[in-house]
């Protein structure tokens, strides 16, 4: 079973003895294998025993693959513009062939992750919409999607900040930054597109970030049930904290490197730090869907 969610949620789920959190596998080829960035265990991917063994199990070693060819194949298959063809691949013969080859490769990787980790559930925190539709077609994958949403103003404020990427092993890099208008467009389009997953038969559960922070044990109980896992005592999870161990995550928010006791605290710094005109712009642009998700003017005050 494969389970998609965001970084902190994914890593909490990954603490379950029958689950493993692997980060954003959409970036495996580029950031993981080509750029050799740091795994969540703080080792370069090429030196991480977990990922080395996954490569051996899947292909006899990562060096058995033509990495540039994999990147080109990914580019031909996994784009938001191709979502309609993922749903109806019979409409384009050439795309159908590439889709079959790429999903077969992904299937080998996920099976290897399962075998190396011994986990029943793989938690993938990839946030690309197209990747969710792609995974719905991977042979042997029982996809469950945790559709994690956050108030649009908080998302816009987060993506406007300068944040270093600590996983780069050469030089310095930062996470991308977007204007409030562009973030609003992404927030609307990505969330709306995820509702369409029903056409693939994928089970999806809407979870609000704010609810997770307010009542983590209740919300994670829902998520464990979605993943088909017995929640058990959840001893690693408190009312406002979680105990995290090292992960083998590829890419994702820098918080994936946090270990030990980590506070679960609602971040609403945007109310204080975000320009009022930007707040109003985001509110107007995202109003219909924000309201549908229960975000009201009263709640934002």
């Amino acid at each position: 079973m494969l389970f998609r969610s965001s970084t902190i949620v994914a890593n909490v789920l990954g603490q379950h003895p029958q689950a493993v959190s692997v980060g954003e596998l959409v970036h495996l080829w580029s950031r993981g294998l080509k750029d050799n960035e740091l795994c969540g265990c703080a080792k370069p991917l090429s030196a991480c025993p977990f990922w080395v063994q996954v490569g051996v199990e899947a292909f006899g070693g990562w060096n058995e693959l033509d990495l540039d060819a994999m990147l080109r194949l990914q580019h031909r298959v996994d784009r938001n513009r191709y979502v309609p063809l993922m749903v109806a691949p019979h409409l384009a013969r050439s795309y159908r062939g590439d889709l079959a080859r790429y999903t077969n490769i992904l299937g080998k990787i996920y099976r290897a992750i399962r075998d190396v980790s011994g986990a029943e559930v793989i938690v993938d925190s990839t946030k690309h919409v197209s990747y969710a539709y792609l995974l719905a077609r991977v042979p042997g994958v029982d996809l469950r999607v945790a559709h994690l949403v956050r108030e649009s103003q908080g998302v816009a404020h987060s993506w406007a900040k300068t944040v270093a990427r600590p996983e780069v092993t050469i030089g310095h890099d930062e996470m991308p930054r977007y204007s409030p208008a562009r973030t609003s467009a992404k927030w609307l389009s990505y969330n709306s597109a995820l509702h369409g997953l029903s056409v693939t038969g994928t089970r999806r559960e809407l979870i609000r970030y704010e609810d997770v922070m307010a009542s983590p044990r209740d919300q994670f109980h829902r998520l464990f049930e979605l993943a088909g896992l017995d929640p058990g005592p959840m001893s690693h999870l408190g009312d406002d904290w979680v105990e995290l161990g090292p992960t083998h995550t590829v890419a994702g928010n820098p918080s994936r490197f946090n270990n030990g006791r980590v506070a679960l605290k609602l971040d609403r710094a945007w109310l204080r730090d975000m320009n009022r005109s930007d707040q109003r712009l985001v509110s107007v642009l995202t109003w219909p869907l924000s309201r549908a998700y229960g975000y009201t003017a009263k709640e934002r005050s």
Side-chain angles (χ1 to χ4, degrees):
M1 182 190 300
L2 184 66
F3 188 73
R4 294 187 69 246
S5 58
S6 197
T7 303
I8 185 64
V9 173
N11 288 349
V12 173
L13 290 170
Q15 301 302 303
H16 192 284
Q18 295 176 334
V20 59
S21 178
V22 295
E24 300 182 11
L25 279 207
V26 71
H27 299 301
L28 174 64
W29 308 117
S30 56
R31 298 182 187 178
L33 296 172
K34 185 173 184 178
D35 296 340
N36 198 30
E37 294 185 354
L38 297 182
C39 170
C41 68
K43 295 179 180 178
L45 204 77
S46 63
C48 170
F50 176 83
W51 286 108
V52 169
Q53 189 59 34
V54 168
V56 171
E57 291 287 333
F59 310 108
W62 295 113
N63 58 354
E64 296 297 317
L65 294 177
D66 183 334
L67 182 55
D68 290 333
M70 288 298 99
L71 286 165
R72 290 193 297 269
L73 179 59
Q74 181 186 39
H75 189 76
R76 293 198 303 272
V77 172
D78 186 13
R79 307 288 296 278
N80 286 341
R81 71 185 69 167
Y82 298 141
V83 165
L85 291 179
M86 292 178 192
V87 175
H90 62 277
L91 296 177
R93 180 181 298 176
S94 61
Y95 181 83
R96 183 170 68 243
D98 285 339
L99 177 65
R101 283 190 289 275
Y102 194 51
T103 52
N104 180 60
I105 289 167
L106 290 179
K108 291 180 179 180
I109 293 172
Y110 286 110
R111 284 193 295 273
I113 291 171
R114 178 199 61 196
D115 293 342
V116 172
S117 68
E120 296 180 10
V121 173
I122 300 170
V123 186
D124 185 332
S125 56
T126 297
K127 300 169 184 67
H128 294 198
V129 169
S130 61
Y131 198 68
Y133 282 85
L134 181 66
L135 290 178
R137 300 199 65 90
V138 174
V141 165
D142 175 14
L143 181 65
R144 314 282 178 91
V145 173
H147 183 174
L148 185 68
V149 299
R150 182 183 180 185
E151 53 194 344
S152 54
Q153 296 84 356
V155 175
H157 179 251
S158 178
W159 281 108
K161 294 188 292 187
T162 300
V163 179
R165 294 182 59 235
E167 60 264 42
V168 297
T169 53
I170 299 177
H172 174 81
D173 195 13
E174 296 174 350
M175 296 186 71
R177 298 173 63 196
Y178 302 120
S179 69
R182 186 176 180 188
T183 300
S184 297
K186 284 178 172 288
W187 190 92
L188 278 172
S189 61
Y190 282 26
N191 283 309
S192 298
L194 284 174
H195 288 272
L197 273 172
S198 58
V199 301
T200 69
T202 298
R203 183 176 171 185
R204 178 184 61 87
E205 184 98 12
L206 185 71
I207 305 285
R208 301 197 325 167
Y209 155 80
E210 294 78 12
D211 295 335
V212 172
M213 294 299 109
S215 183
R217 294 182 67 85
D218 289 342
Q219 297 303 312
F220 278 107
H221 192 282
R222 289 178 60 197
L223 289 166
F224 282 127
E225 287 189 337
L226 173 63
L229 294 170
D230 180 358
M234 292 193 288
S235 57
H236 64 297
L237 189 62
D239 293 333
D240 58 0
W241 57 267
V242 62
E243 197 77 32
L244 296 176
T247 63
H248 293 294
T249 48
V250 176
N253 189 283
S255 65
R256 68 192 177 96
F257 294 104
N258 294 341
N259 294 320
R261 181 161 293 197
V262 176
L264 296 175
K265 184 179 180 181
L266 179 63
D267 178 7
R268 305 196 80 202
W270 65 270
L271 281 168
R272 179 188 67 248
D273 301 335
M274 190 177 183
N275 184 286
R276 292 290 182 181
S277 61
D278 287 339
Q279 290 186 31
R280 288 192 292 271
L281 174 66
V282 174
S283 294
V284 170
L285 293 176
T286 64
W287 174 78
L289 204 54
S290 290
R291 185 176 179 85
Y293 290 156
Y295 295 121
T296 64
K298 181 179 180 180
E299 187 178 53
R300 292 194 298 267
S301 62

